[in-house]
């Protein structure tokens, strides 16, 4: 036990990629001998990992930076770091608005953050970890981990700021990823989620994403593999076959549709049509009958008419996604869509968003109800007030009441009840 170790607190906004980046920073701080805290008032360093994908997300992150000013007043030694996509977009301007911020470093610099941190913390008063102390910093959710396999995006969907703040696409070497996952497996990780904006573009020494899946499938101790996200414009047959044939790859794919109107998809620069998307769905359902499909829908893109929107509703009713994330269009700087006129009235955006949510709830409730009485394999990742919580291979949350300690285990569960966003079950 290290006495008086410095403490850090990380506030994360946005996507899984940001969560993975926050974990990377946490691991480095742990290795320097700092301790994580859930109470920001006792922190010596606060990192705000920000998101700028929508205006609302950016505001939330920046207003958080505003709120922690008082903590700095109380403790002048507190270091405040603003990281992530807003940090990339606004850079040192953040310090003009929040003079008490010590360090701004953007999403593109994440790979060099360790040097920047070391400088910020100067020579930390905490000794590095000694052997055997590693357990002290065991992550609460070691069972399932995110692994960033590539960074950045080259797709330039016309509404999206990600390529500008996260930079060009770059894959991590396959050996490095497999090594990392092997050591996770040795430290009780059973499930990994491979992260990339478009995993179909993964490339390393002649290997593509399907090859990476095969390599991870061979890692002893890993029981489940998930990934996100696959861009429909180039979801390959090879990848669909790999999903169908590799036993550890879960029967779930997140395949953002965005819109059901070909005119809007074209304006979005998505590079597929609704027909091509439907063909992919058919192929996936044929090869992987139990597959669960989830998607992102963006409403209110400039110029979206009632007719365009109806096409989106039609296709989602046809496909019956297990889960849908619905987003209201938010105009982002630098993007091509920000130069388009013809904005949709806010009240129409709200109305369309509500209609998507309504459809999504109906479909999810119906699909989940059909699971009552079925058997599902569940990986138990959490325990909250006596109830165990886990996920099915199709990525549905299951609550299980059990006298037996199920934490970290793969169990067979019979589904006894279903809600829109979760299931309840008992161990068989
Ligand atoms: N406005 C609203 N939603 C957006 N997304 C990306 N950019 C925007 C934007 N400018 C959504 C897309 C994407 C998801 C991660 O975020 O649906 O798939
Ligand atoms: Fe944004 Fe499109 Fe890249 Fe996804 S694929 S991050 S929506 S530009």
């Amino acid at each position: 036990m290290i006495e008086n170790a410095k403490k850090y607190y990380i506030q994360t906004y946005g996507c899984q990629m940001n969560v993975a980046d926050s974990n990377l920073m946490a691991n480095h701080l742990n290795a320097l001998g700092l301790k994580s805290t859930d109470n920001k008032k006792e922190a010596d360093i606060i990192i705000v990992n920000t998101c700028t994908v929508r205006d609302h997300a950016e505001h939330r992150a920046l207003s958080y930076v505003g709120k922690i000013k008082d903590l700095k007043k109380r403790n002048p030694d507190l270091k405040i770091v603003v990281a992530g996509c807003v940090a990339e977009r606004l850079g040192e301007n953040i310090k003009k608005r929040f003079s008490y911020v010590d360090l701004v470093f953007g999403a593109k610099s994440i790979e060099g953050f360790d040097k920047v941190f070391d400088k910020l913390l100067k020579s930390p008063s905490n000794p590095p970890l000694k052997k055997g102390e590693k357990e002290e910093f065991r992550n609460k959710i070691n069972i399932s981990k995110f692994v960033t396999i590539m960074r950045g995006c080259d797709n330039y969907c016309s509404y999206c700021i990600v390529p500008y703040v996260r930079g060009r696409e770059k894959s991590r070497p396959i050996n490095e990823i497999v090594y990392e996952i092997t050591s996770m497996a040795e430290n009780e990780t059973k499930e990994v989620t491979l992260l990339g904006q478009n995993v179909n573009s993964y490339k390393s020494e002649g290997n593509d994403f399907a090859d990476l899946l095969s390599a991870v499938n061979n890692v002893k101790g890993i029981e489940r593999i998930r990934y996100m996200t696959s861009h429909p414009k180039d979801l390959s047959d090879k990848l669909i076959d790999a999903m169908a044939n590799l036993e550890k790859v879960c029967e779930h794919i997140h395949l953002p549709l965005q819109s059901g109107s070909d005119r809007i998809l074209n304006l979005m620069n998505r590079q597929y049509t609704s027909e091509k998307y439907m063909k992919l769905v058919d192929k996936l359902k044929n090869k992987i009958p139990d597959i669960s499909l989830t998607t992102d829908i963006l409403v209110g893109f400039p110029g979206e008419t009632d007719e365009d929107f109806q096409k989106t509703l039609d296709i989602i009713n046809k496909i019956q996604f297990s889960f849908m994330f619905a987003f209201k269009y938010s105009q982002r700087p630098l993007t091509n869509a920000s130069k388009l006129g013809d904005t949709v009235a806010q009240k129409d955006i709200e109305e369309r968003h509500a209609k998507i949510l309504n459809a999504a709830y109906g479909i999810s409730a119906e699909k989940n109800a059909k699971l009552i009485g079925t058997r599902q394999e569940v990986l138990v990742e959490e325990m909250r007030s006596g109830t165990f919580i886990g996920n099915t291979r199709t990525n549905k949350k299951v609550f299980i009441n059990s006298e037996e300690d199920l934490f970290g285990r793969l169990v067979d569960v019979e589904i006894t009840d279903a809600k829109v966003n979760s299931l309840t079950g008992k161990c068989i």
Side-chain angles (χ1 to χ4, degrees):
M1 176 83 184
I2 298 165
E3 294 300 332
N4 299 324
K6 282 192 180 172
K7 297 195 173 94
Y8 68 89
Y9 179 92
I10 307 184
Q11 175 76 19
T12 307
Y13 293 92
C15 63
Q16 285 86 353
M17 208 65 110
N18 265 14
V19 176
D21 286 349
S22 289
N23 289 342
L24 203 65
M25 293 188 265
N27 287 343
H28 183 66
L29 293 174
N30 291 342
L32 288 176
L34 280 81
K35 284 195 74 170
S36 140
T37 173
D38 291 336
N39 177 5
K40 57 179 178 293
K41 288 185 188 147
E42 60 170 36
D44 302 285
I45 169 165
I46 298 180
I47 302 168
V48 189
N49 196 3
T50 58
C51 170
T52 184
V53 75
R54 282 167 289 277
D55 193 45
H56 179 63
E58 179 166 313
H59 272 111
R60 275 179 61 214
L62 289 177
S63 83
Y64 185 85
V65 177
K67 272 193 262 167
I68 54 181
K69 182 178 183 179
D70 282 352
L71 297 177
K72 181 85 170 187
K73 269 196 215 146
R74 263 198 264 161
N75 171 14
D77 291 334
L78 169 69
K79 305 263 192 245
I80 296 181
V81 180
V82 181
C85 294
V86 181
E88 187 66 49
R89 186 174 104 68
L90 300 176
E92 292 297 308
N93 285 328
I94 289 179
K95 286 193 184 165
K96 285 191 195 145
R97 194 166 147 197
F98 308 101
S99 58
Y100 49 91
V101 166
D102 296 279
L103 174 68
V104 174
F105 83 92
K108 284 184 197 166
S109 317
I110 184 75
E111 278 172 317
F113 79 92
D114 42 354
K115 289 180 199 75
V116 186
F117 266 33
D118 295 352
K119 212 165 139 198
L120 175 79
L121 296 165
K122 300 233 176 64
S123 46
S125 50
N126 308 297
L129 279 181
K130 290 190 211 89
K131 249 190 155 177
E133 280 176 340
K134 197 160 137 238
E135 283 300 293
E136 176 91 10
F137 303 111
R138 224 178 65 178
N139 195 327
K140 277 185 240 131
I141 42 166
N142 259 356
I143 304 298
S144 178
K145 289 218 154 191
F146 290 133
V147 180
T148 301
I149 62 158
M150 55 203 294
R151 297 184 182 281
C153 182
D154 287 349
N155 291 312
Y156 292 94
C157 300
S158 67
Y159 50 80
C160 185
I161 196 170
V162 169
Y164 303 94
V165 288
R166 286 204 164 258
R168 303 307 299 261
E169 206 171 81
K170 203 173 147 220
S171 298
R172 289 179 61 206
I174 188 163
N175 294 338
E176 194 181 298
I177 296 169
V178 173
Y179 179 79
E180 187 178 323
I181 295 176
T182 307
S183 32
M184 285 176 174
E186 284 162 5
N187 285 291
E188 73 191 344
T189 296
K190 294 199 169 129
E191 177 181 276
V192 285
T193 304
L194 311 179
L195 296 178
Q197 307 292 349
N198 178 12
V199 294
N200 271 288
S201 320
Y202 179 83
K203 260 187 225 84
S204 166
E205 297 155 30
N207 297 289
D208 62 14
F209 182 64
D211 300 325
L212 174 64
L213 282 181
S214 303
V216 179
N217 199 68
N218 289 334
V219 175
K220 216 174 113 212
I222 293 297
E223 315 246 17
R224 286 177 167 190
I225 306 166
R226 305 185 181 282
Y227 68 88
M228 58 192 334
T229 296
S230 194
H231 193 307
K233 79 176 160 62
D234 42 23
L235 169 59
S236 68
D237 287 352
K238 185 175 170 189
L239 176 53
I240 298 177
D241 287 338
M243 283 188 82
N245 298 331
L246 298 170
E247 72 285 0
K248 294 181 184 172
V249 179
C250 289
E251 294 76 26
H252 168 226
I253 187 165
H254 185 66
L255 198 62
L257 167 66
Q258 313 298 0
S259 168
S261 154
D262 291 343
R263 195 179 71 82
I264 295 294
L265 285 172
N266 187 36
L267 286 171
M268 286 176 166
N269 189 31
R270 289 291 287 176
Q271 300 175 57
Y272 55 86
T273 58
S274 53
E275 192 191 338
K276 175 163 177 200
Y277 190 95
M278 276 308 302
K279 282 204 176 126
L280 284 177
V281 170
D282 289 343
K283 226 188 264 180
L284 283 160
K285 285 185 177 169
N286 273 334
K287 295 226 164 158
I288 312 155
D290 291 335
I291 196 159
S292 142
L293 287 159
T294 58
T295 201
D296 293 342
I297 301 289
L298 203 172
V299 298
F301 185 85
E304 184 188 64
T305 61
D306 284 341
E307 208 184 349
D308 292 315
F309 177 67
Q310 188 55 47
K311 288 187 175 147
T312 304
L313 276 183
D314 291 345
I315 194 169
I316 65 182
N317 281 321
K318 214 184 269 162
I319 296 175
Q320 301 273 302
F321 292 101
S322 300
F323 194 82
M324 288 187 259
F325 295 91
F327 300 107
K328 301 174 207 167
Y329 175 72
S330 163
Q331 184 180 304
R332 305 308 292 129
L334 306 171
T335 59
N336 280 338
S338 69
K339 295 168 200 133
L340 297 172
D342 213 6
T343 49
V344 178
Q346 198 57 35
K347 89 170 199 336
D348 291 334
I349 296 187
E350 300 294 338
E351 213 170 278
R352 288 173 194 173
H353 184 247
K355 281 186 181 161
I356 298 286
L357 289 185
N358 201 27
Y361 285 167
I363 296 169
S364 293
E366 202 176 305
K367 277 188 152 320
N368 284 352
K370 283 191 189 146
L371 294 174
I372 297 177
T374 63
R375 264 178 178 228
Q376 302 286 330
E377 180 203 277
V378 176
L379 178 61
V380 182
E381 293 168 55
E382 233 183 290
M383 198 193 76
R384 244 186 274 152
S385 41
T387 303
F388 293 94
I389 309 171
N391 275 294
T392 63
R393 288 179 65 94
T394 50
N395 211 19
K396 288 178 195 291
K397 189 182 264 193
V398 187
F399 293 91
I400 313 161
N401 284 315
S402 166
E403 297 292 310
E404 209 184 326
D405 182 10
L406 304 178
F407 187 77
R409 281 173 52 192
L410 266 182
V411 287
D412 274 330
V413 166
E414 185 188 322
I415 303 303
T416 53
D417 198 8
K419 295 210 174 79
V420 176
N421 288 325
S422 67
L423 305 166
T424 307
K426 59 172 194 251
C427 269
I428 300 171

